[in-house]
Amino acid sequence: MRVLVIGAGAWGTALAVSAARDGHRRVSLWSRDVAQAAEMGSLRQNRRYLPGMELPVGLHIAHAGDAPLAALAQAQDLVVVGTPMAGLRSTLSALAGVRVPVVWLCKGFETAQPGAQGLLGHEIWAQLAPQHLPDASCGVLSGPSFAQEVARGQPTALVAASPHADVRDAMVRAFHGPSLRVYANDDMVGVEVGGAVKNVLAIATGLCDGLQLGLNARAALITRGLAEITRLGLALGARADTFMGLSGLGDLVLTATGDLSRNRKVGLLLAQGQTLQQAVDSLGHVAEGVYCARTVVQRARHLGVDMPIADAVVALLDGALRPDEAVGRLMGRDPAAEL
């Protein structure tokens, strides 16, 4: 099987490494940065994003100077877009005319433009498909996963979501292996909503832990956060049961509690008194929750969905609330039934 992973960040590299461990797959990792690709090829490691992790001998390194991206993609059995959410639209546009399955790894909403709502990945695809991708099919690979652990071969479970059975099967064949278990799901909307909104809620949980509010408070935030994810997902057409799976509850628990979580780290740093810019600059990687929080709240309000935790996170990120005030807003809400 021929697999192309576009984007040599931590997550794209980790999945490429995992897939390339199986000699039955020919895996290529594509970087737009020619210098980065040359270094990975010579040193056999991605020093910027996964330092110390040896790249398998069978992993081919490609770059923007090799050939047009669409031509390289057309020769594959599966194309995997591993860019941040901000790069998804331009990458899909660059794949104009490709007739093989295209899936993505990014979790979030596209930043809203003036006069428009920010979109999930499948909504971006729907805009582009009539013009550029008429015969191809799409999907998303998601779930609770830190890149470092996947690259090291530690046990991980993911969900391959697509309305197309052949795309789900392609993702399973590309990535299922001894240390990576891949489950199939046809609820692509639910999987994308879970992957996007949990990043926002992880900021809230990091704030909670940074303020040392206790384990009771953390459990409450995670549980009520899952309710917010589910409400928004149902309003967008997802199934409720999806949010009790890997891309809902599983990804939320990992991102809200794991020390490797960038979004949780943002909340911790804000609780320590850092500014948002200081917190983001210290990460060295993208924290998708920072960039999609406003879009999550915008979409929720448009649909009449109540998301008080996400609302408080946006107010915190915008500087409208201090960390202690955000907590006070949530605790001061009127009593309500658990829904």
Side-chain angles (χ1 to χ4, degrees):
M1 185 179 191
R2 298 162 299 176
V3 181
L4 172 65
V5 179
I6 300 171
W11 189 217
T13 302
L15 274 178
V17 166
S18 179
R21 288 194 182 108
D22 187 335
H24 298 293
R25 306 181 182 108
R26 187 183 189 280
V27 184
S28 298
L29 177 62
W30 185 91
S31 172
R32 66 178 179 179
D33 187 330
V34 175
Q36 181 197 24
E39 182 181 87
M40 287 192 295
S42 61
L43 300 181
R44 300 309 298 174
Q45 66 171 288
N46 188 337
R47 290 200 304 176
R48 179 177 179 183
Y49 293 105
L50 288 175
M53 175 58 59
E54 184 176 354
L55 302 180
V57 174
L59 177 60
H60 174 68
I61 305 300
H63 58 75
D66 287 338
L69 185 57
L72 182 61
Q74 189 59 53
Q76 311 299 317
D77 298 307
L78 179 69
V79 175
V80 182
V81 180
T83 67
M85 195 69 199
L88 180 60
R89 180 180 293 272
S90 61
T91 304
L92 292 180
S93 296
L95 295 172
V98 170
R99 299 295 191 268
V100 299
V102 176
V103 304
W104 46 88
L105 310 176
C106 44
K107 302 174 181 179
F109 284 83
E110 186 178 41
T111 300
Q113 301 301 315
Q117 295 185 342
L119 304 179
L120 288 163
H122 75 276
E123 295 172 321
I124 297 172
W125 176 276
Q127 284 188 346
L128 297 175
Q131 302 174 45
H132 300 309
L133 307 159
D135 299 326
S137 46
C138 67
V140 61
L141 187 67
S142 193
S145 48
F146 289 137
Q148 295 94 323
E149 294 189 2
V150 170
R152 288 196 294 261
Q154 293 179 266
T156 302
L158 299 176
V159 57
S162 174
H164 311 283
D166 61 326
V167 179
R168 298 193 297 270
D169 292 344
M171 284 189 277
V172 172
R173 285 187 285 112
F175 296 108
H176 192 90
S179 63
L180 188 60
R181 184 170 181 82
V182 182
Y183 292 84
N185 190 323
D186 63 359
D187 182 12
M188 189 170 174
V189 176
V191 169
E192 286 205 304
V193 170
V197 183
K198 58 90 182 180
N199 287 325
V200 180
L201 300 172
I203 296 173
T205 312
L207 179 71
C208 168
D209 289 346
L211 293 173
Q212 298 184 335
L213 300 182
L215 299 179
N216 293 348
R218 178 201 282 181
L221 269 176
I222 292 174
T223 306
R224 296 311 303 162
L226 182 62
E228 292 192 15
I229 293 174
T230 303
R231 287 198 293 266
L232 180 60
L234 293 178
L236 289 169
R239 295 197 310 265
D241 61 290
T242 299
F243 301 107
M244 295 306 296
L246 290 167
S247 61
L249 178 60
D251 211 356
L252 174 60
V253 169
L254 181 73
T255 310
T257 65
D259 290 337
L260 295 175
S261 167
R262 296 190 292 272
N263 293 283
R264 168 180 157 78
K265 183 69 172 178
V266 169
L268 289 169
L269 294 175
L270 292 175
Q272 294 171 11
Q274 290 195 18
T275 67
L276 177 59
Q277 192 61 55
Q278 289 171 331
V280 170
D281 289 346
S282 71
L283 296 177
H285 299 261
V286 174
E288 292 283 10
V290 172
Y291 302 104
C292 79
R294 296 169 188 81
T295 302
V296 167
V297 168
Q298 178 195 54
R299 295 292 298 263
R301 288 174 179 168
H302 179 75
L303 295 166
V305 174
D306 186 31
M307 298 187 71
I309 301 174
D311 283 340
V313 169
V314 170
L316 178 69
L317 296 178
D318 286 345
L321 290 178
R322 298 192 311 268
D324 60 322
E325 291 174 334
V327 175
R329 172 185 286 189
L330 291 172
M331 293 304 295
R333 299 178 72 238
D334 291 338
E338 184 182 31
L339 296 173

PDB file of all heavy atoms in Angstrom, residues 1 17 54 78 149 157 161 187 189 200 203 211 225 239 249 253 263 265 278 283 289 303 311 325 333:
ATOM      1  N   MET A   1       0.853  -1.199   0.000  1.00  0.00           N
ATOM      2  CA  MET A   1       0.000   0.000   0.000  1.00  0.00           C
ATOM      3  C   MET A   1       0.885   1.244   0.000  1.00  0.00           C
ATOM      4  O   MET A   1       1.855   1.328   0.754  1.00  0.00           O
ATOM      5  CB  MET A   1      -0.899   0.000   1.241  1.00  0.00           C
ATOM      6  CG  MET A   1      -1.893   1.138   1.276  1.00  0.00           C
ATOM      7  SD  MET A   1      -2.957   1.086   2.729  1.00  0.00           S
ATOM      8  CE  MET A   1      -4.164   2.336   2.275  1.00  0.00           C
ATOM      9  N   VAL A  17       5.880   7.410  10.717  1.00  0.00           N
ATOM     10  CA  VAL A  17       6.801   6.468  11.356  1.00  0.00           C
ATOM     11  C   VAL A  17       6.075   5.182  11.714  1.00  0.00           C
ATOM     12  O   VAL A  17       6.565   4.060  11.461  1.00  0.00           O
ATOM     13  CB  VAL A  17       7.422   7.108  12.617  1.00  0.00           C
ATOM     14  CG1 VAL A  17       8.109   6.046  13.487  1.00  0.00           C
ATOM     15  CG2 VAL A  17       8.414   8.189  12.232  1.00  0.00           C
ATOM     16  N   GLU A  54      14.237   8.003  15.822  1.00  0.00           N
ATOM     17  CA  GLU A  54      14.817   7.556  14.560  1.00  0.00           C
ATOM     18  C   GLU A  54      13.729   7.254  13.540  1.00  0.00           C
ATOM     19  O   GLU A  54      12.737   6.574  13.854  1.00  0.00           O
ATOM     20  CB  GLU A  54      15.691   6.329  14.781  1.00  0.00           C
ATOM     21  CG  GLU A  54      16.424   5.856  13.533  1.00  0.00           C
ATOM     22  CD  GLU A  54      17.351   4.691  13.790  1.00  0.00           C
ATOM     23  OE1 GLU A  54      17.505   4.324  14.969  1.00  0.00           O
ATOM     24  OE2 GLU A  54      17.907   4.144  12.817  1.00  0.00           O
ATOM     25  N   LEU A  78      -3.458   6.265  -0.670  1.00  0.00           N
ATOM     26  CA  LEU A  78      -4.098   7.085   0.358  1.00  0.00           C
ATOM     27  C   LEU A  78      -3.235   8.314   0.590  1.00  0.00           C
ATOM     28  O   LEU A  78      -2.019   8.221   0.716  1.00  0.00           O
ATOM     29  CB  LEU A  78      -4.234   6.304   1.682  1.00  0.00           C
ATOM     30  CG  LEU A  78      -4.859   7.064   2.857  1.00  0.00           C
ATOM     31  CD1 LEU A  78      -6.347   7.332   2.587  1.00  0.00           C
ATOM     32  CD2 LEU A  78      -4.708   6.279   4.165  1.00  0.00           C
ATOM     33  N   GLU A 149       4.082   9.396  21.813  1.00  0.00           N
ATOM     34  CA  GLU A 149       3.779   8.016  22.197  1.00  0.00           C
ATOM     35  C   GLU A 149       3.546   7.138  20.975  1.00  0.00           C
ATOM     36  O   GLU A 149       3.962   5.972  20.936  1.00  0.00           O
ATOM     37  CB  GLU A 149       2.581   7.993  23.143  1.00  0.00           C
ATOM     38  CG  GLU A 149       2.869   8.666  24.482  1.00  0.00           C
ATOM     39  CD  GLU A 149       1.761   8.445  25.498  1.00  0.00           C
ATOM     40  OE1 GLU A 149       0.779   7.733  25.197  1.00  0.00           O
ATOM     41  OE2 GLU A 149       1.884   9.001  26.612  1.00  0.00           O
ATOM     42  N   ALA A 157      -5.194   3.884  20.391  1.00  0.00           N
ATOM     43  CA  ALA A 157      -6.376   3.544  19.599  1.00  0.00           C
ATOM     44  C   ALA A 157      -6.917   4.814  18.947  1.00  0.00           C
ATOM     45  O   ALA A 157      -7.056   5.853  19.596  1.00  0.00           O
ATOM     46  CB  ALA A 157      -7.454   2.899  20.465  1.00  0.00           C
ATOM     47  N   ALA A 161     -12.825   7.873  10.417  1.00  0.00           N
ATOM     48  CA  ALA A 161     -14.204   8.262  10.133  1.00  0.00           C
ATOM     49  C   ALA A 161     -14.358   8.756   8.710  1.00  0.00           C
ATOM     50  O   ALA A 161     -13.567   9.564   8.228  1.00  0.00           O
ATOM     51  CB  ALA A 161     -14.655   9.344  11.105  1.00  0.00           C
ATOM     52  N   ASP A 187     -19.615   8.256  11.259  1.00  0.00           N
ATOM     53  CA  ASP A 187     -20.100   9.568  11.720  1.00  0.00           C
ATOM     54  C   ASP A 187     -18.948  10.570  11.675  1.00  0.00           C
ATOM     55  O   ASP A 187     -18.369  10.944  12.703  1.00  0.00           O
ATOM     56  CB  ASP A 187     -20.664   9.455  13.135  1.00  0.00           C
ATOM     57  CG  ASP A 187     -21.235  10.774  13.651  1.00  0.00           C
ATOM     58  OD1 ASP A 187     -21.404  11.709  12.834  1.00  0.00           O
ATOM     59  OD2 ASP A 187     -21.500  10.864  14.866  1.00  0.00           O
ATOM     60  N   VAL A 189     -19.015  13.766  11.035  1.00  0.00           N
ATOM     61  CA  VAL A 189     -19.350  15.024  11.698  1.00  0.00           C
ATOM     62  C   VAL A 189     -19.056  14.925  13.192  1.00  0.00           C
ATOM     63  O   VAL A 189     -18.392  15.788  13.784  1.00  0.00           O
ATOM     64  CB  VAL A 189     -20.828  15.387  11.464  1.00  0.00           C
ATOM     65  CG1 VAL A 189     -21.193  16.651  12.239  1.00  0.00           C
ATOM     66  CG2 VAL A 189     -21.113  15.574   9.981  1.00  0.00           C
ATOM     67  N   VAL A 200     -10.688  23.201  23.159  1.00  0.00           N
ATOM     68  CA  VAL A 200     -11.146  24.380  23.892  1.00  0.00           C
ATOM     69  C   VAL A 200     -11.364  24.031  25.355  1.00  0.00           C
ATOM     70  O   VAL A 200     -10.952  24.772  26.264  1.00  0.00           O
ATOM     71  CB  VAL A 200     -12.447  24.913  23.266  1.00  0.00           C
ATOM     72  CG1 VAL A 200     -12.939  26.150  24.018  1.00  0.00           C
ATOM     73  CG2 VAL A 200     -12.243  25.228  21.787  1.00  0.00           C
ATOM     74  N   ILE A 203      -8.268  23.744  27.579  1.00  0.00           N
ATOM     75  CA  ILE A 203      -7.767  25.008  28.114  1.00  0.00           C
ATOM     76  C   ILE A 203      -8.428  25.296  29.463  1.00  0.00           C
ATOM     77  O   ILE A 203      -7.759  25.688  30.433  1.00  0.00           O
ATOM     78  CB  ILE A 203      -8.027  26.158  27.121  1.00  0.00           C
ATOM     79  CG1 ILE A 203      -7.237  25.937  25.827  1.00  0.00           C
ATOM     80  CG2 ILE A 203      -7.649  27.507  27.754  1.00  0.00           C
ATOM     81  CD1 ILE A 203      -7.559  26.933  24.727  1.00  0.00           C
ATOM     82  N   LEU A 211      -4.998  26.681  38.818  1.00  0.00           N
ATOM     83  CA  LEU A 211      -5.495  27.410  39.978  1.00  0.00           C
ATOM     84  C   LEU A 211      -5.634  26.520  41.204  1.00  0.00           C
ATOM     85  O   LEU A 211      -6.068  26.982  42.265  1.00  0.00           O
ATOM     86  CB  LEU A 211      -6.848  28.051  39.653  1.00  0.00           C
ATOM     87  CG  LEU A 211      -6.831  29.173  38.608  1.00  0.00           C
ATOM     88  CD1 LEU A 211      -8.253  29.600  38.267  1.00  0.00           C
ATOM     89  CD2 LEU A 211      -6.009  30.357  39.086  1.00  0.00           C
ATOM     90  N   GLY A 225     -18.083  19.433  30.153  1.00  0.00           N
ATOM     91  CA  GLY A 225     -17.517  19.711  28.840  1.00  0.00           C
ATOM     92  C   GLY A 225     -17.984  18.713  27.799  1.00  0.00           C
ATOM     93  O   GLY A 225     -18.285  19.076  26.648  1.00  0.00           O
ATOM     94  N   ARG A 239     -24.162  11.882  15.669  1.00  0.00           N
ATOM     95  CA  ARG A 239     -24.860  10.911  16.507  1.00  0.00           C
ATOM     96  C   ARG A 239     -24.352  11.012  17.946  1.00  0.00           C
ATOM     97  O   ARG A 239     -23.142  11.175  18.178  1.00  0.00           O
ATOM     98  CB  ARG A 239     -24.643   9.484  16.013  1.00  0.00           C
ATOM     99  CG  ARG A 239     -25.220   9.189  14.647  1.00  0.00           C
ATOM    100  CD  ARG A 239     -25.314   7.667  14.442  1.00  0.00           C
ATOM    101  NE  ARG A 239     -24.056   7.001  14.757  1.00  0.00           N
ATOM    102  CZ  ARG A 239     -23.111   6.694  13.859  1.00  0.00           C
ATOM    103  NH1 ARG A 239     -23.279   7.033  12.585  1.00  0.00           N
ATOM    104  NH2 ARG A 239     -22.017   6.059  14.219  1.00  0.00           N
ATOM    105  N   LEU A 249     -15.270  11.215  24.339  1.00  0.00           N
ATOM    106  CA  LEU A 249     -14.798  11.053  25.714  1.00  0.00           C
ATOM    107  C   LEU A 249     -13.303  10.744  25.771  1.00  0.00           C
ATOM    108  O   LEU A 249     -12.564  11.330  26.575  1.00  0.00           O
ATOM    109  CB  LEU A 249     -15.593   9.940  26.401  1.00  0.00           C
ATOM    110  CG  LEU A 249     -15.193   9.597  27.836  1.00  0.00           C
ATOM    111  CD1 LEU A 249     -15.360  10.813  28.744  1.00  0.00           C
ATOM    112  CD2 LEU A 249     -16.018   8.418  28.345  1.00  0.00           C
ATOM    113  N   VAL A 253     -10.640  13.327  27.594  1.00  0.00           N
ATOM    114  CA  VAL A 253      -9.916  12.951  28.815  1.00  0.00           C
ATOM    115  C   VAL A 253      -8.416  13.102  28.609  1.00  0.00           C
ATOM    116  O   VAL A 253      -7.699  13.656  29.458  1.00  0.00           O
ATOM    117  CB  VAL A 253     -10.275  11.510  29.229  1.00  0.00           C
ATOM    118  CG1 VAL A 253      -9.333  11.012  30.317  1.00  0.00           C
ATOM    119  CG2 VAL A 253     -11.719  11.438  29.713  1.00  0.00           C
ATOM    120  N   ASN A 263      -2.935  22.315  24.613  1.00  0.00           N
ATOM    121  CA  ASN A 263      -4.075  23.141  25.004  1.00  0.00           C
ATOM    122  C   ASN A 263      -4.214  23.206  26.526  1.00  0.00           C
ATOM    123  O   ASN A 263      -4.485  24.272  27.090  1.00  0.00           O
ATOM    124  CB  ASN A 263      -5.350  22.592  24.364  1.00  0.00           C
ATOM    125  CG  ASN A 263      -5.325  22.743  22.858  1.00  0.00           C
ATOM    126  OD1 ASN A 263      -5.531  23.818  22.324  1.00  0.00           O
ATOM    127  ND2 ASN A 263      -5.044  21.653  22.147  1.00  0.00           N
ATOM    128  N   LYS A 265      -1.746  22.978  28.507  1.00  0.00           N
ATOM    129  CA  LYS A 265      -0.617  23.799  28.923  1.00  0.00           C
ATOM    130  C   LYS A 265      -0.962  25.284  28.848  1.00  0.00           C
ATOM    131  O   LYS A 265      -0.548  26.079  29.710  1.00  0.00           O
ATOM    132  CB  LYS A 265       0.593  23.496  28.032  1.00  0.00           C
ATOM    133  CG  LYS A 265       1.857  24.247  28.407  1.00  0.00           C
ATOM    134  CD  LYS A 265       2.425  23.769  29.738  1.00  0.00           C
ATOM    135  CE  LYS A 265       3.786  24.377  30.001  1.00  0.00           C
ATOM    136  NZ  LYS A 265       4.335  23.965  31.321  1.00  0.00           N
ATOM    137  N   GLN A 278       2.322  35.152  25.556  1.00  0.00           N
ATOM    138  CA  GLN A 278       3.435  34.473  26.206  1.00  0.00           C
ATOM    139  C   GLN A 278       3.209  32.970  26.252  1.00  0.00           C
ATOM    140  O   GLN A 278       4.132  32.182  25.999  1.00  0.00           O
ATOM    141  CB  GLN A 278       3.623  35.016  27.627  1.00  0.00           C
ATOM    142  CG  GLN A 278       4.182  36.421  27.705  1.00  0.00           C
ATOM    143  CD  GLN A 278       4.144  36.984  29.118  1.00  0.00           C
ATOM    144  OE1 GLN A 278       3.278  36.627  29.922  1.00  0.00           O
ATOM    145  NE2 GLN A 278       5.096  37.873  29.428  1.00  0.00           N
ATOM    146  N   LEU A 283       5.069  27.474  23.578  1.00  0.00           N
ATOM    147  CA  LEU A 283       4.751  26.100  23.196  1.00  0.00           C
ATOM    148  C   LEU A 283       5.654  25.561  22.102  1.00  0.00           C
ATOM    149  O   LEU A 283       6.065  24.402  22.124  1.00  0.00           O
ATOM    150  CB  LEU A 283       3.289  26.004  22.735  1.00  0.00           C
ATOM    151  CG  LEU A 283       2.215  26.316  23.780  1.00  0.00           C
ATOM    152  CD1 LEU A 283       0.836  26.242  23.124  1.00  0.00           C
ATOM    153  CD2 LEU A 283       2.298  25.363  24.953  1.00  0.00           C
ATOM    154  N   GLY A 289      -6.917  24.813  20.124  1.00  0.00           N
ATOM    155  CA  GLY A 289      -8.017  25.349  20.904  1.00  0.00           C
ATOM    156  C   GLY A 289      -8.020  26.863  20.982  1.00  0.00           C
ATOM    157  O   GLY A 289      -9.077  27.503  21.031  1.00  0.00           O
ATOM    158  N   LEU A 303     -26.585  28.287  16.370  1.00  0.00           N
ATOM    159  CA  LEU A 303     -27.481  27.138  16.448  1.00  0.00           C
ATOM    160  C   LEU A 303     -28.325  27.137  17.718  1.00  0.00           C
ATOM    161  O   LEU A 303     -29.135  26.229  17.919  1.00  0.00           O
ATOM    162  CB  LEU A 303     -26.661  25.845  16.388  1.00  0.00           C
ATOM    163  CG  LEU A 303     -25.922  25.589  15.069  1.00  0.00           C
ATOM    164  CD1 LEU A 303     -24.885  24.497  15.247  1.00  0.00           C
ATOM    165  CD2 LEU A 303     -26.918  25.212  13.971  1.00  0.00           C
ATOM    166  N   ASP A 311     -17.775  29.469  26.370  1.00  0.00           N
ATOM    167  CA  ASP A 311     -17.951  30.922  26.463  1.00  0.00           C
ATOM    168  C   ASP A 311     -16.923  31.538  27.413  1.00  0.00           C
ATOM    169  O   ASP A 311     -16.326  32.586  27.118  1.00  0.00           O
ATOM    170  CB  ASP A 311     -19.357  31.250  26.969  1.00  0.00           C
ATOM    171  CG  ASP A 311     -20.432  31.107  25.904  1.00  0.00           C
ATOM    172  OD1 ASP A 311     -20.093  31.134  24.707  1.00  0.00           O
ATOM    173  OD2 ASP A 311     -21.606  30.958  26.271  1.00  0.00           O
ATOM    174  N   GLU A 325     -12.021  35.090  37.674  1.00  0.00           N
ATOM    175  CA  GLU A 325     -13.346  35.558  37.272  1.00  0.00           C
ATOM    176  C   GLU A 325     -14.037  34.540  36.361  1.00  0.00           C
ATOM    177  O   GLU A 325     -15.267  34.385  36.427  1.00  0.00           O
ATOM    178  CB  GLU A 325     -13.230  36.898  36.548  1.00  0.00           C
ATOM    179  CG  GLU A 325     -12.816  38.043  37.452  1.00  0.00           C
ATOM    180  CD  GLU A 325     -12.562  39.330  36.691  1.00  0.00           C
ATOM    181  OE1 GLU A 325     -12.216  39.257  35.486  1.00  0.00           O
ATOM    182  OE2 GLU A 325     -12.715  40.411  37.291  1.00  0.00           O
ATOM    183  N   ARG A 333     -23.508  30.373  37.958  1.00  0.00           N
ATOM    184  CA  ARG A 333     -24.681  30.185  37.099  1.00  0.00           C
ATOM    185  C   ARG A 333     -25.862  29.649  37.913  1.00  0.00           C
ATOM    186  O   ARG A 333     -25.689  28.965  38.936  1.00  0.00           O
ATOM    187  CB  ARG A 333     -24.352  29.216  35.955  1.00  0.00           C
ATOM    188  CG  ARG A 333     -23.249  29.718  35.053  1.00  0.00           C
ATOM    189  CD  ARG A 333     -22.921  28.714  33.967  1.00  0.00           C
ATOM    190  NE  ARG A 333     -23.975  28.645  32.967  1.00  0.00           N
ATOM    191  CZ  ARG A 333     -24.634  27.537  32.643  1.00  0.00           C
ATOM    192  NH1 ARG A 333     -24.383  26.400  33.252  1.00  0.00           N
ATOM    193  NH2 ARG A 333     -25.567  27.565  31.719  1.00  0.00           N
TER     194      ARG A 333
END
